[in-house]
Amino acid sequence: MAFDNLIQDLRYTVRTLRRDAGFTTFAVLIAGLGIIVTMLASVLERTREIGILRSIGMLRSQVSRVVVIESVLLGMVGGALGAGAGIVIGWMSLEGFLKGDYGASMQYHVDFSSILWALGLSTLLSALAGIYPARRAARTNIVEALSYE
């Protein structure tokens, strides 16, 4: 009987992990699309600036690098803010639910290796998401960019 309960618990855990992995994958894709759209808007807003830089000698690779670096910085700041918000909300939830509802307390533990992993993942994702806007910025025609209003 105990073995059957163990099997049921394992099946439930596997179903939950699959569902959570699906949600996580979906959230990562949405975040990547958000970064792409943000960077495309940034490139579009700075079309004239990019044209001026290109006209005074900036190489296409340099324009591309600037956009990717901006994207990486955006991802790093977003990851750090997300990690900080997650730590605070997790602590508030634990304190609020346990102490408020049950009068119990528990030590709150933050695994900093997981936070570093998440920051690295957000940085990598933002770098990958910045490639398309960077290529688009690098392909900007100088004459059209200078006449862009």
Side-chain angles (χ1 to χ4, degrees):
M1 195 67 155
F3 185 72
D4 291 337
N5 288 340
L6 178 65
I7 296 296
Q8 283 180 334
D9 288 345
L10 284 174
R11 286 184 181 156
Y12 176 76
T13 302
V14 168
R15 278 195 308 268
T16 303
L17 288 174
R18 283 184 185 160
R19 185 189 69 225
D20 289 348
F23 288 143
T24 303
T25 302
F26 184 69
V28 166
L29 288 174
I30 295 299
L33 288 174
I35 292 171
I36 290 172
V37 168
T38 301
M39 295 310 301
L40 282 173
S42 173
V43 166
L44 186 64
E45 285 176 2
R46 295 185 302 164
T47 299
R48 188 171 174 85
E49 178 186 331
I50 291 169
I52 291 170
L53 291 172
R54 293 267 298 126
S55 69
I56 62 172
M58 189 175 220
L59 301 174
R60 289 179 190 263
S61 62
Q62 291 172 325
V63 171
S64 182
R65 228 175 298 146
V66 165
V67 174
V68 170
I69 288 170
E70 184 180 337
S71 176
V72 166
L73 290 173
L74 181 69
M76 289 173 73
V77 169
L81 289 174
I87 290 169
V88 169
I89 290 172
W91 177 78
M92 288 172 50
S93 297
L94 184 68
E95 289 293 315
F97 292 138
L98 281 178
K99 282 191 178 174
D101 292 343
Y102 302 108
S105 83
M106 182 182 284
Q107 183 178 2
Y108 185 63
H109 174 71
V110 176
D111 186 17
F112 287 105
S113 65
S114 295
I115 292 172
L116 290 176
W117 176 255
L119 288 173
L121 183 64
S122 70
T123 302
L124 177 67
L125 173 68
S126 62
L128 291 175
I131 291 173
Y132 175 69
R135 292 181 73 192
R136 189 151 174 196
R139 290 182 185 158
T140 301
N141 185 342
I142 296 173
V143 176
E144 290 177 8
L146 290 174
S147 64
Y148 186 79
E149 200 54 42

